[in-house]
Amino acid sequence: MNSRKRIGIIVDHTVLALVGFVIIIPIYWVVKTSLTGENLFVYPPSLLPTHPNIFFYVDVYYWIPFLRYFVNSVFVSFIVVAANVVFNSMAAFALRYRFRAKRLIIVFYLGAMMIPFQTAIIPAFLLTKYLGLLNSYVGLAFPLMSTIINIFVMKASFDAIPQSLYDAALIDGMPDWRILFRIYLPLSKAAIATNIILSFVWSWNNFIWPLIIISKKDMQTLPLGLSSFLSYFEDTSGQMYAFVVMVIAPIIIVFLMNQKRFMSGMISGAIKG
């Protein structure tokens, strides 16, 4: 390895380390405040936690029905993740075929991605009400059951699978649904991981849609619970940041469990060969 290449690697790693340090500072500060409850406006701020304790987490657990909100969020996220893997894989598998309206459908998908969800909230609410899904888990998961970005992630992964495998399966007499679930999905683990992470994060952080369709308190999810918590209690920096940590912890855990496959799924199809 020549000196110029070595210097380039050192510079790259230094820049990445600095960017990572800047990104991790807010996370560290949230965790530190959740353990100390110190005033955020004290100057100069203390870099290390003083007298840390977990009492603020206990307060959050007992002040509000945190466990109920957590179970609701987990159940809704499970529905969203399962629906995304199934529906997105079916849509991506269909886009492998050659038919006249294929390009038109892809253009329609790309155009729909440019429309913010807020503009379609009223029709979505009316449709959900017509189906009788208000104040239900399925209603909470309804708008996120299939997402266009994840469809294209699946399609990119399916396009990388040799056509000969599909032809061989057809010769063996396998129907399309078995080819999808027995051949294509097992070979697309990176795309599945990407679908799981993205759909989980979007569902877990969803606030506007549950706020609109949920009127029962026992059906609220964690983002709504956090909003209610902030409206009921004041001067609770420790409890508030403890709540935030308890909300974002599952997202970080899910991402770390699927990090390698997530990165592989995001770039799948970008490199041929």
Side-chain angles (χ1 to χ4, degrees), residues 111-173:
M113 290 175 62
M114 302 178 187
I115 303 174
F117 175 70
Q118 289 78 2
T119 61
I121 279 184
I122 294 178
F125 174 80
L126 294 176
L127 179 60
T128 305
K129 182 181 179 181
Y130 176 77
L131 295 175
L133 298 177
L134 298 180
N135 292 306
S136 67
Y137 292 122
V138 177
L140 284 169
F142 186 60
L144 293 174
M145 283 186 171
S146 180
T147 49
I148 299 175
I149 294 178
N150 285 336
I151 291 175
F152 283 116
V153 170
M154 280 287 192
K155 181 181 181 301
S157 180
F158 288 174
D159 289 342
I161 298 175
Q163 178 67 23
S164 57
L165 287 178
Y166 177 78
D167 296 337
L170 283 181
I171 294 174
D172 289 340

Side-chain angles (χ1 to χ4, degrees), residues 23 89 270:
I23 292 175
S89 62

Side-chain angles (χ1 to χ4, degrees), residues 22-148:
V22 172
I23 292 175
I24 205 171
I25 286 177
I27 300 176
Y28 167 75
W29 213 264
V30 168
V31 175
K32 181 179 76 72
T33 306
S34 71
L35 294 172
T36 60
E38 62 187 14
N39 193 329
L40 298 177
F41 302 101
V42 172
Y43 185 85
S46 60
L47 297 179
L48 298 177
T50 56
H51 308 293
N53 60 79
I54 62 171
F55 296 136
F56 299 115
Y57 291 88
V58 177
D59 289 342
V60 171
Y61 186 83
Y62 284 105
W63 284 7
I64 61 172
F66 178 84
L67 186 60
R68 179 66 184 181
Y69 297 159
F70 182 82
V71 171
N72 291 341
S73 292
V74 169
F75 200 75
V76 173
S77 297
F78 175 79
I79 296 175
V80 170
V81 168
N84 267 266
V85 172
V86 174
F87 295 148
N88 295 340
S89 62
M90 293 170 66
F93 189 78
L95 289 176
R96 293 189 72 257
Y97 294 104
R98 294 181 180 179
F99 51 92
R100 292 182 179 179
K102 178 178 179 179
R103 291 186 177 181
L104 181 62
I105 292 176
I106 293 177
V107 171
F108 174 78
Y109 279 168
L110 294 175
M113 290 175 62
M114 302 178 187
I115 303 174
F117 175 70
Q118 289 78 2
T119 61
I121 279 184
I122 294 178
F125 174 80
L126 294 176
L127 179 60
T128 305
K129 182 181 179 181
Y130 176 77
L131 295 175
L133 298 177
L134 298 180
N135 292 306
S136 67
Y137 292 122
V138 177
L140 284 169
F142 186 60
L144 293 174
M145 283 186 171
S146 180
T147 49
I148 299 175

Side-chain angles (χ1 to χ4, degrees), residues 148-201:
I148 299 175
I149 294 178
N150 285 336
I151 291 175
F152 283 116
V153 170
M154 280 287 192
K155 181 181 181 301
S157 180
F158 288 174
D159 289 342
I161 298 175
Q163 178 67 23
S164 57
L165 287 178
Y166 177 78
D167 296 337
L170 283 181
I171 294 174
D172 289 340
M174 292 182 65
D176 282 344
W177 67 269
R178 289 192 63 189
I179 296 175
L180 171 61
F181 290 103
R182 296 291 296 273
I183 297 177
Y184 276 77
L185 283 182
L187 294 176
S188 304
K189 293 180 180 179
I192 293 175
T194 304
N195 271 252
I196 290 174
I197 292 176
L198 292 179
S199 58
F200 178 82
V201 171

Side-chain angles (χ1 to χ4, degrees), residues 57 60-61 66 70 204 222 241-250:
Y57 291 88
V60 171
Y61 186 83
F66 178 84
F70 182 82
W204 193 264
L222 283 175
Y241 282 97
F243 199 136
V244 172
V245 171
M246 296 167 75
V247 171
I248 66 175

